[in-house]
Structures are given as C-alpha cells and as structure tokens.
Amino acid sequence: MKKINGILKIRRTLQFRLFLLIVSFSFSIFLVILIVLFSTQSLDLKSKNLSSSLENDFSHVESKIKYDMDYYSIKSRKLAEDLETKIENYFDKKSINVSELPNSGDEIENILFELYDTLNLNLELSTASGTFVVLNSSVNYNASTDDRYRAGMCLSSIASGNSSLINGDIRYLIGPTDVARSNGITILPQWELEFDITNGSFYETPHDMYDETNDKDFYWSEKIIIPDSSDEFIFCSVPMSSSDNFFLGCAGFMINSNLFKYSYSVSNDEINDLFLCLSPYNSDKIDIIEGMSAGNYSVLANIPEDLTYIKKYNGFDEYGCNEKRYLAIADDFELYNDTSVYKDVYKWKLILSTDKSNIESIIQEQNMILIITIIPILMAFIASSYLLSKKYLKPVKRALNIIKTDGDYDKDKTNILEIDDLMEFLAEKDRHKEIVIPNSNISTSKRFGDFLKDINTLSKAERAVFDLYAAGHTAKEIEKILFLSANTIKTHNKRIYMKLGVSSYKELMVYLQIMRENNYISYK
Amino acid sequence: MKKLFFFIYIAIFVFVVAVACKKNILNPNDPVTISMWHNYGGIMQNSMDELIEEFNSGLGKEKGIIVNVDLVESSANIQKNIMATLNKEVGSLPFPNITTCYPNTAISLKNSDVLVDLKEYFNDSDLDEYVKSYIDEGIIDDGLYVFPVAKSTEVLFLNKTLFDRFIASANITEYDLSTFEGLNVLAAQYYAWTDSLTEGVTNDGKAFYMPDSIFNVMQVGMAQYNDSIFVDEQINDESENYKYIYDTLFDAYDLGYISSYAGYSSDLQKTGDLIASIGSTAGILYYGDTITYKNNTKESVDYEIYPYPVFNNSAKVAIQRGNGMSVIKSDLKHEYASAEFLKWFTRKENNIRFVIETGYFPVKKDSYDSLIDDSLILNSENENIIKLQEVAISMNREYSFYIPPVFDSFDSLSRNFKNDFYLALE
C-alpha cells in the first residue's frame, strides 16, 4: 500500500492481477460445471440417492412378500375346504350330525387322525412354517366353564432357509400325542394338547365374521407368541363349515418370525441396521409389535413397539416412537383382495426403516467427504493460479529488472518475442547513444593494445560483422547487409566479445570509438 | 555348503512371507461372506442367531468376515442336503463354506476331497485347549475334518414328581438308578404298581423307562465291559458280554418294563406316560416344567438328571455325541475366514454362553472348570440346564467316553439291529 496524493491506495502488482484473473476464471469454470451437474441431476444429493436406493430394495422385497402371502392365502382356503370335507365325511360315516361336533369330545382324536395326512402333506409341499386346524370342540367342552381351549392340531416345520428338500423337518406343536406317536413325528418342547383361543385372534375373528356373514374369507392374524417359547407366528385362518353352514372351526397356514426373517431381510450397501416390518396399522400408527420383522439380531432386539408417522423428510417418511426417530420407506400392504370382508377393517403396512441418525450420519459423512474433496481442489486452483501467474510474468520481470539495473540487454534473452524485441530495441537505442570516453589515455593502454591484437583472431565471418560495426552499422543493418539471421548475428557478437575480451556491446562500441578517434578505423 | 544355506534362507523367507500373507488375507474394507448350514434350530435358534450377529458386528467386522446362515434344519436333513450336493442331485444346493457334519458324513466328503483339513489352521497348541476325545472324533486319516463346537452325551432324565409318587405308593424304600439292572428292578415294580391301578384289567401296566437308542445302549454297554460291539465291522454277537447286555434289555422290553415307542422318550414324558428316559443331553429343552394329561389337565413336575447308567460290575463309560462343523474347500480367503469363525465360536466365553442356553457341553478343557469355578452354570435361566451341566461336569471327571467308530456300514448295521430287535419283540 502507498499514499498517492494523500490517499492510501492499494497498488496491485501485475502478478497479483494476473493471479486474480486466473483464480476467478478457474472458480467460474468450476461453478459452471457444478451447476450443470446439479441441474442435470448427474450429481444427486446424497439423501436422494439413499432414498432411491432404499425404494429399490423396498419394491423388490414388497413384491416378493406379496406373492408369498397371496400364495399362502389361496392355499389356506384350499386346505380349509379339504379339511371341512373330511370332517363332514367322518360324521357321515358315523351317522352323527356334524352339528354335534362341539359335544363330540370323545371323537376328537379320531377326527384329528383323519385330518393329519392332509395337514402334513400341505406343509411338506409348501415353504410355510406350519399348518393348523382348530375345531369347534374340546375334550373338555362340556366339562368346564373355561371356554378358552379348542381341540385341534398344529404341525410346525423347523426348517429355515432354502432347503432343497421339500419335507423339511416337521414337528408336532399342538394336538393329541397319539396322533404324533402313530405318525412318528417328534413332539416339540412347547407342545400343548389344545389351542388356547384367547391367545390371539386366529379363531375368534374368523368365527365371528362367519357367524355374521357366512363369509369364508381368509383372515391374517396379528403376531401370536406360543406360550413358554419364543416362537412367533402369524396365522392365515379360514373358517370351515358344513354344507348346512354349521361352523366347524378354522384352518390354514402359519408363518413364523424366523421364516420371515430369513426370507425377507434386506441388506443395503450404504445403510446399516435396516429392519423390515409387516404389521397391522391404524390411522398413522403402525403396531410393529403385532407384526413380523426381519433384520439382524441386534436391530430386532431394539425395534420400537410402534411407529407413528410424522412427516416427509428428504425423500423418506419420518416416523417416531417416543423420542426416537426413524426414516423409512413404507407402503400400505394389501393382504386382502377388494371383495374381502376384512379389506377396510384390518389394514397392514410394510415398512423398511432405520434409525434416523444412521441416515443423517451417512449424509454428514458424505458432506464431509465432499468438503474434504473440494477444499484441496480449491487449494490446488489457488496454488496453480499463483504458480501460473508467477511463471507467466517471470520473463517480464526479468526484462524490467535488466532495464532498471541497466544490464546487458543482449545477454539475458527471455525467448518471448515481444520482450526480446523490446530488449533489443533498448539495446540498439543504447548503442546509438554517445559514448563518453573517460578522460584517460586508454588508447595507449595495454588493454587497448591487446584489443587491437585480438582483432586478428576473429574468423572471416566475425571480422565481417566487426568491420560493419566499426563502420557504424547496427545489428539489424548488418543482418540485411550480410543476409544473416538475427540469431547468427547474436552468435557472432558473442564470439567477438569473447575473442576481443569485451563484456558487452557497449564496451565494444567504446573500443571502436577509440579506434576511430585514433584513426585505427577507416570508413570505406 | 553356501548353496545349501542359500536355499534354506530362501525357503525360510518364502515361508515367512506365506505366513504373513496368510495373516493378511482378510480385508475389513472388503469383507468375505461365508455361508453356513447348521442344525441348531427350533428352540436353540435364537441363541445361535445371537452369537452369529455378535460375531458379525464384532470380530467379523474387525477382520472382514460376515457369516450368513443359509440353512437351518435337523441334523439328519442337513446330512441329506450335504449328500445331495455331493452327489450333484437335481435341485441340490451349492455347498456352504461351513456346515454341521457327522463324522460318517465327513468320510464321504473327505474321500471326495471336498473338506478342508483344519490342522492347516489350528496348530498343536491351539488344539491342546480342546477336550482330546472331541478332537479325536473329528480326525480322519490324521487330518482334522470335523471340528467340535458343542458336544453331548446321554444321561438319565427322571420325572421326580411322578417317581416320588410311585415309590411312596408302592412302598419302595431302596432303589438303584445308577445301573441298568437297578432300573429294570424299578421298572418291574412300576409295571406291577400301574397294573394294579386298573381294576379288573391285568397286564396293562406301564413302561417305566426307555432309552432313545437301543443300539447306543448296546455299544456303550460293551464298552463298559471293555469289549467291542464290532469285530471286523460286524456285530460281535458271539461275545458273552453282548449276550448278557442283550438279554438284560430284551427281557425288560418283552415284559413291557421298557417302552418300545419308535420316537423320542421325551414325547412320552410330556404326557406322564414314562417316568425315566435315557437320551441325549441336547434334548434337555424338551423337558418342560409341566406334563399334560389326555383331558388337557396339566401338572407341574420337577425333573432330576442322573449320570448314564452302567451295567453291573462294569466301568463308567458313556457315549460321546454331537456333531461338529466342517469347512468345505473353496479358496484361501473363505477357508481362513471359516477357521477364524470356528476359533471365535469355541472361545470359552462364547462356547459357555451357547451351552448354558442349549444344554450342550463346552468343548474346551478350561470351560468345564469355569462352569463351576466361575459359577457360570448359574447364568442359565433353565433349572434343568443347570442340573444337566452339574451332571455333565461330574461325568466329565468320572466317566470315560465311547466314540462310535466310523465306517461305511455303520448306519445300516445300526438300523438292522434296531429293526431285528423290535421285530423279535412282536
């Protein structure tokens, strides 16, 4: 900074101006590229990327679950039809009215013997976790006021995963032990003789609906935990009736939580700790605890009991449970077809979710990476601008320095045409200035004597140039006279200086002046 | 001489580099996924899932290993799946990297050069930490092909509630649950007592006990008499010990003192149709705290667990059971990762956690001591498992263990013996 006319002004150097120019230009290009990339969505925002990725995963698993659930629903209906026919045939054979079923505690074991093969075969030929039949009867039907038990049978497959065997190990979960023992099927540790129908809606809901409407639609229950175990199932339950519409019970297929977990767990390369839930929902609240979940063990151990919708958030649906927040992709899941009596009554949601902090930390991480990437680029721009400007101006500075210090214009060439021309012009101008000879008797000095002697060491070509200098011609004129290039003249000059022991053109001119004054040179 | 030293130096150098490379095979930034088949399903599955998840999020994440369970089935079906794959049957699944495997299945795999010799990944001092007989069981032709992860034996499960009721009613003051002969005496008394309960009906007494495998009793009984049931891969039915054991059991079966039910004895225990069972310790979870009668009434019961019975004047020998895990040949990365998982899974703290939730026995020597010394046994939530582990520890100290031999015709010999035995009863 300098004071000019009393005002403090910033004096910018040429290099600084050039530096600013290059930096501005580079930043502009960079900005334009970023704008183009963002506007053409080539450089998506990270959260949008994540939500798209999760939507893809969701869509894939949703169609898989839909296919399977539809399959089990249809199979459950068929199973119930087969079983109700068998029950009715049994009573026909016994010449007992099938409406006597509730009072036929003594016949139950025989009935279930009849039904076992159908239940077993259906389970063997499917990938479901179990098949069941619950009868409108009990061994204690008339004996007790405790109306919670119903006779029946439940077979469970312990296989999980993609067995190549269609008859994955089948175990006996509920029913008379004699049926199991006769058929050589192992009884599970959590075996019960009869169903406790208060432990879930798999019996009462289809029973009530049948009584009300005579409708035999399949019904998917909420998650039911088998007592004294950690086994969890959802039941697809279809009412059974006789040909005269007497309610006989329910039957269908079951899906357990392990099968759901193994079949439908979603893993995403970028988002950890995902969990997928198929759960009943009401208004905006999803009852996670009542549905099936898939995910890794540590996540499932901590999933919320329910989720309530809050708002849209960066392409995700944000849900909350107490203070915790989750980001998810969710959709209504159509378990029932349009004609089902349950369609508008029991709604289900499929939701793929993770803790909100997981997504936020990914975005933050990506932003950090972006910042960490951009900063060095910007630093590189600045550094390269500085270096470029410095390198570009180096010859200019050198030339200016020579001029300032009255250096030898011929000696330091920049190889930049304009600057070298300027330097030569100045050099020529310098040459034509009157050479002031110091007032000393230089003509008689030993040095001058050597100079004169050394003239004879010049080559023919060098002597030609020397003579023309002596005659008062400029370098440019000599080029034209001798038909030589500027570089050739420069080369001759260098050799002339070297041989004659002079350091510069100026010094040569001084000696030539002396020669003229002392009549050592005659002009031709 | 100089040349020799040079080659030795090169060999050492190459070895060191190879070991270093082996140690650096895995990359946490590019984890390797190993697939697993196992038979710890049903009620044990949560315990297994939890341990695998813990590995995946802990050491697995650190080293770059992810364990993925592709299949959970009964051990019998796992072996079927393995053989289906080995025989390239239509619809068979590709081999996993690790699978539970019995030694006799492992022989077929090893002969087809499908199995990894785990001695390449466990040195002698590593293997010294394990119970020797468990390691020996997995050795085929000097190589270790079946790695022990959880073992079992057979014990006597007694419904103490029903037993106490019986001996009180029948005025029995002395009894012997430690020998087969003692059990047969009790069985005869029980049969007579239950027969007497049905007025006007005779010979409808109930069986008192049942071994899950009659063939195991035969094998172990012979071992108790320091004899072998097999000679030249055939049944040694000329042996006096064999005849004694056979007759002791057959007579009791024939008279209805021992149940000839085709399934597991725990099934009969559930309905009070049996007082005692001789079965695998791995079946402990099948013994609950109630029994259910045909009219759907329930009764709370207690079980006691006793060491495996012996025959009179014989040694304390019990069978060693339980499959192990085998690693299928693939590539160095997957094989190494599989071995790392096995090392982690059988670490004392992890192995003990698994066994106190499932009723299996730990596989490392110091684990048994820890179960008692560190009171880890009390960490189980299942009273029966605590009782079982106490018996297991005492058996570990007092019994020697019989390992069934492995040869091609073993399964058919076992099957034929059982069929012939029950046929003779009819």
Side-chain angles (χ1 to χ4, degrees):
Chain A
M1 289 173 81
K2 194 176 177 178
K3 263 195 180 174
I4 298 170
N5 297 330
I7 303 166
L8 207 62
K9 281 193 176 175
I10 297 170
R11 294 171 66 194
R12 295 190 196 93
T13 62
L14 190 60
Q15 183 177 337
F16 184 70
R17 287 165 68 91
L18 183 61
F19 166 72
L20 276 182
L21 175 69
I22 298 174
V23 164
S24 308
F25 182 68
S26 305
F27 279 169
S28 306
I29 298 289
F30 185 61
L31 206 61
V32 165
I33 292 171
L34 277 181
I35 290 169
V36 167
L37 286 175
F38 273 116
S39 61
T40 58
Q41 295 180 336
S42 304
L43 194 68
D44 276 332
L45 291 169
K46 190 61 191 170
S47 63
K48 195 167 176 186
N49 236 1
L50 289 174
S51 66
S52 297
S53 159
L54 213 57
E55 267 170 24
N56 280 342
D57 292 337
F58 180 84
S59 158
H60 176 75
V61 77
E62 185 184 27
S63 50
K64 196 173 166 199
I65 297 174
K66 185 78 175 76
Y67 178 86
D68 289 343
M69 296 310 237
D70 285 347
Y71 172 80
Y72 293 132
S73 301
I74 293 165
K75 291 291 285 182
S76 292
R77 195 179 274 162
K78 179 74 174 62
L79 174 63
E81 283 169 9
D82 290 345
L83 293 176
E84 70 189 8
T85 304
K86 286 200 161 200
I87 295 169
E88 209 162 0
N89 287 345
Y90 176 87
F91 277 91
D92 283 345
K93 264 190 253 170
K94 289 272 182 173
S95 302
I96 306 172
N97 196 312
V98 72
S99 61
E100 288 300 311
L101 175 61
N103 303 319
S104 305
D106 294 340
E107 299 291 337
I108 282 168
E109 195 166 298
N110 292 334
I111 294 167
L112 291 171
F113 260 110
E114 293 278 326
L115 304 183
Y116 172 83
D117 285 340
T118 305
L119 273 181
N120 187 51
L121 188 65
N122 269 269
L123 184 55
E124 279 188 355
L125 295 176
S126 82
T127 54
S129 309
T131 49
F132 72 97
V133 60
V134 191
L135 298 177
N136 183 12
S137 187
S138 167
V139 290
N140 288 324
Y141 193 83
N142 288 319
S144 168
T145 54
D146 183 356
D147 198 26
R148 58 196 279 206
Y149 291 104
R150 291 290 182 274
M153 196 155 49
C154 179
L155 307 180
S156 169
S157 168
I158 66 162
S160 300
N162 303 313
S163 176
S164 64
L165 303 174
I166 46 175
N167 55 336
D169 282 297
I170 293 175
R171 296 284 187 267
Y172 202 72
L173 186 57
I174 294 173
T177 51
D178 284 346
V179 176
R181 289 167 190 167
S182 302
N183 288 287
I185 179 173
T186 305
I187 300 172
L188 281 170
Q190 55 275 51
W191 165 83
E192 294 283 342
L193 180 62
E194 294 196 329
F195 285 89
D196 180 352
I197 61 170
T198 61
N199 182 34
S201 62
F202 63 95
Y203 181 81
E204 292 290 0
T205 300
H207 182 193
D208 292 345
M209 190 58 79
Y210 180 77
D211 280 350
E212 208 177 295
T213 64
N214 269 9
D215 200 281
K216 285 188 179 180
D217 271 335
F218 55 82
Y219 164 75
W220 282 95
S221 75
E222 71 291 358
K223 184 171 72 186
I224 293 165
I225 300 174
I226 302 298
D228 298 325
S229 78
S230 54
D231 289 346
E232 302 167 337
F233 293 91
I234 53 173
F235 288 67
C236 181
S237 186
V238 179
M240 302 183 295
S241 66
S242 63
S243 43
D244 57 357
N245 296 330
F246 183 77
F247 179 73
L248 298 175
C250 297
F253 282 79
M254 299 134 66
I255 312 294
N256 75 6
S257 51
N258 278 333
L259 177 65
F260 192 87
K261 193 167 82 171
Y262 279 108
S263 304
Y264 309 124
S265 277
V266 174
S267 68
N268 184 286
D269 288 338
E270 294 187 272
I271 308 172
N272 291 329
D273 297 341
L274 284 167
F275 60 92
L276 177 81
C277 299
L278 177 64
S279 302
Y281 85 97
N282 206 347
S283 301
D284 284 334
K285 187 168 147 195
I286 306 173
D287 285 318
I288 300 291
I289 205 171
E290 301 284 2
M292 291 268 118
S293 303
N296 71 40
Y297 194 88
S298 54
V299 171
L300 291 184
N302 294 303
I303 56 169
E305 289 191 356
D306 55 67
L307 286 172
T308 305
Y309 180 77
I310 296 173
K311 61 178 186 216
K312 274 281 184 201
Y313 179 88
N314 282 349
F316 292 98
D317 293 326
E318 184 173 340
Y319 285 81
C321 176
N322 300 323
E323 299 305 314
K324 290 207 81 172
R325 293 290 176 264
Y326 299 86
L327 294 181
I329 306 293
D331 197 11
D332 289 349
F333 192 87
E334 298 297 342
L335 267 177
Y336 303 106
N337 55 35
D338 289 338
T339 56
S340 171
V341 294
Y342 301 109
K343 183 173 166 60
D344 294 319
V345 181
Y346 299 102
K347 294 184 183 176
W348 289 70
K349 201 88 150 174
L350 185 67
I351 178 166
L352 180 61
S353 181
T354 187
D355 196 302
K356 187 177 180 182
S357 59
N358 289 339
I359 305 275
E360 284 180 334
S361 66
I362 293 171
I363 293 172
Q364 267 173 23
E365 199 181 303
Q366 289 300 321
N367 288 343
M368 277 308 295
I369 292 170
L370 200 63
I371 290 168
I372 288 166
T373 311
I374 285 178
I375 286 176
I377 292 174
L378 293 177
M379 300 295 290
F381 273 145
I382 291 169
S384 56
S385 301
Y386 172 76
L387 290 170
L388 270 174
S389 60
K390 190 174 176 184
K391 192 168 168 57
Y392 186 78
L393 283 177
K394 190 176 170 185
V396 174
K397 276 180 160 176
R398 202 165 80 209
L400 290 174
N401 196 43
I402 291 170
I403 295 166
K404 259 170 50 177
T405 57
D406 206 20
D408 186 342
Y409 299 137
D410 289 323
K411 206 172 175 187
D412 285 316
K413 300 298 176 190
T414 63
N415 293 321
I416 294 171
L417 187 64
E418 290 86 351
I419 298 173
D420 286 345
D421 271 354
L422 173 65
M423 298 294 281
E424 263 195 45
F425 171 77
L426 291 172
E428 272 305 310
K429 199 175 166 190
D430 216 23
R431 278 185 215 114
H432 286 275
K433 265 192 206 163
E434 191 179 314
I435 296 163
V436 175
I437 298 159
N439 192 14
S440 63
N441 205 2
I442 191 166
S443 59
T444 56
S445 71
K446 183 185 183 298
R447 181 71 195 87
F448 183 69
D450 289 339
F451 176 85
L452 291 174
K453 215 186 290 174
D454 290 337
I455 289 171
N456 297 324
T457 65
L458 296 175
S459 69
K460 204 173 170 185
E462 289 158 5
R463 187 58 194 267
V465 170
F466 175 82
D467 287 344
L468 285 169
Y469 277 131
H473 291 286
T474 65
K476 280 270 183 235
E477 287 167 0
I478 294 172
E479 279 175 36
K480 284 181 182 149
I481 294 167
L482 296 179
F483 299 101
L484 295 173
S485 69
N487 281 335
T488 308
I489 297 296
K490 281 176 190 167
T491 306
H492 284 321
N493 286 346
K494 270 193 199 155
R495 289 200 187 121
I496 290 166
Y497 301 153
M498 190 184 70
K499 285 182 181 177
L500 300 184
V502 299
S503 61
S504 68
Y505 178 78
K506 254 193 190 167
E507 194 178 344
L508 179 66
M509 291 301 113
V510 167
Y511 278 105
L512 287 175
Q513 177 76 1
I514 296 169
M515 282 177 72
R516 280 188 213 105
E517 285 172 3
N518 291 280
N519 294 320
Y520 283 103
I521 297 170
S522 57
Y523 285 99
K524 291 184 184 155
Chain B
M1 194 61 162
K2 275 187 186 174
K3 265 193 187 171
L4 178 65
F5 279 129
F6 174 73
F7 283 121
I8 291 171
Y9 171 76
I10 294 293
I12 292 170
F13 176 75
V14 167
F15 174 76
V16 167
V17 168
V19 167
C21 285
K22 212 177 198 180
K23 282 190 186 292
N24 293 330
I25 283 164
L26 302 174
N27 178 2
N29 296 322
D30 183 23
V32 61
T33 300
I34 53 176
S35 54
M36 180 191 287
W37 294 355
H38 71 72
N39 62 292
Y40 306 112
I43 212 160
M44 297 180 202
Q45 193 160 352
N46 278 347
S47 306
M48 191 66 181
D49 283 352
E50 194 178 337
L51 274 164
I52 289 173
E53 284 296 338
E54 195 172 304
F55 174 82
N56 283 343
S57 56
L59 185 74
K61 193 172 182 178
E62 196 184 298
K63 291 204 163 196
I65 306 170
I66 298 172
V67 174
N68 201 39
V69 176
D70 281 354
L71 187 65
V72 181
E73 285 238 30
S74 66
S75 54
N77 272 357
I78 294 275
Q79 309 313 299
K80 278 187 199 167
N81 272 296
I82 291 172
M83 295 311 293
T85 305
L86 182 66
N87 297 326
K88 296 185 173 54
E89 289 176 16
V90 172
S92 61
L93 297 167
F95 272 128
N97 295 113
I98 312 181
T99 179
T100 51
C101 191
Y102 279 109
N104 53 353
T105 309
I107 283 186
S108 305
L109 294 172
K110 188 252 172 196
N111 290 341
S112 303
D113 198 28
V114 160
L115 287 188
V116 170
D117 179 358
L118 288 163
K119 282 188 178 178
E120 292 175 26
Y121 298 95
F122 291 81
N123 58 35
D124 286 345
S125 71
D126 289 333
L127 295 178
D128 256 346
E129 294 175 16
Y130 294 83
V131 174
K132 188 176 182 307
S133 59
Y134 298 167
I135 295 291
D136 289 346
E137 198 178 349
I139 301 276
I140 305 170
D141 296 339
D142 273 342
L144 177 59
Y145 294 98
V146 184
F147 193 80
V149 295
K151 300 305 266 184
S152 60
T153 184
E154 288 183 347
V155 292
L156 178 73
F157 297 96
L158 182 80
N159 184 326
K160 195 75 168 57
T161 307
L162 297 185
F163 180 73
D164 287 347
R165 189 178 300 155
F166 151 60
I167 58 172
S169 298
N171 293 317
I172 295 167
T173 52
E174 281 182 14
Y175 56 85
D176 176 14
L177 292 167
S178 65
T179 64
F180 281 98
E181 291 84 354
L183 280 171
N184 285 352
V185 166
L186 268 171
Q189 290 167 321
Y190 183 72
Y191 186 92
W193 177 71
T194 49
D195 192 11
S196 71
L197 296 177
T198 51
E199 277 185 34
V201 182
T202 55
N203 293 327
D204 69 338
K206 288 172 133 181
F208 176 75
Y209 80 102
M210 181 193 135
D212 279 338
S213 168
I214 180 67
F215 193 62
N216 282 354
V217 179
M218 292 299 302
Q219 290 184 83
V220 176
M222 290 291 276
Q224 288 174 355
Y225 284 119
N226 199 26
D227 200 347
S228 175
I229 194 170
F230 299 107
V231 169
D232 297 330
E233 297 182 3
Q234 294 298 320
I235 300 285
N236 181 18
D237 54 10
E238 294 300 315
S239 156
E240 290 303 317
N241 293 319
Y242 177 93
K243 286 175 186 168
Y244 173 74
I245 295 166
Y246 188 97
D247 290 342
T248 302
L249 293 170
F250 187 88
D251 292 345
Y253 270 97
D254 195 34
L255 292 166
Y257 302 162
I258 305 178
S259 172
S260 56
Y261 173 58
Y264 287 105
S265 54
S266 55
D267 290 355
L268 297 176
Q269 290 260 21
K270 281 190 176 48
T271 50
D273 289 316
L274 209 65
I275 305 290
S277 311
I278 297 172
S280 171
T281 52
I284 183 63
L285 295 173
Y286 284 78
Y287 296 87
D289 53 12
T290 58
I291 57 176
T292 305
Y293 296 105
K294 278 203 171 179
N295 61 359
N296 205 21
T297 53
K298 292 177 195 286
E299 181 179 4
S300 292
V301 294
D302 285 324
Y303 284 92
E304 282 299 330
I305 299 162
Y306 296 90
Y308 190 82
V310 298
F311 285 91
N312 279 342
N313 305 315
S314 71
K316 287 183 179 178
V317 179
I319 197 166
Q320 179 173 294
R321 291 179 58 156
N323 54 23
M325 286 197 175
S326 297
V327 175
I328 308 288
K329 278 187 178 176
S330 51
D331 54 69
L332 186 58
K333 224 175 167 182
H334 284 84
E335 291 172 13
Y336 180 76
S338 302
E340 286 296 296
F341 171 76
L342 290 176
K343 280 181 193 168
W344 180 90
F345 190 71
T346 51
R347 270 192 208 167
K348 188 170 82 171
E349 62 275 18
N350 300 325
N351 203 214
I352 284 179
R353 216 170 95 202
F354 182 66
V355 302
I356 63 176
E357 287 172 5
T358 60
Y360 279 101
F361 294 165
V363 294
K364 281 194 168 175
K365 291 174 193 165
D366 59 358
S367 301
Y368 283 90
D369 296 330
S370 280
L371 279 174
I372 288 293
D373 297 342
D374 302 337
S375 301
L376 292 176
I377 194 174
L378 299 176
N379 288 351
S380 177
E381 290 172 357
N382 187 313
E383 274 295 319
N384 286 341
I385 289 181
I386 294 174
K387 291 177 191 172
L388 177 69
Q389 294 290 353
E390 284 169 345
V391 168
I393 289 158
S394 71
M395 282 179 70
N396 191 257
R397 288 179 186 149
E398 296 167 21
Y399 276 64
S400 54
F401 290 90
Y402 165 78
I403 303 171
V406 179
F407 52 88
D408 287 340
S409 57
F410 179 92
D411 284 346
S412 59
L413 277 176
S414 159
R415 208 167 31 246
N416 291 341
F417 175 89
K418 187 178 155 186
N419 291 342
D420 292 345
F421 187 90
Y422 288 125
L423 211 59
L425 285 171
E426 284 175 11

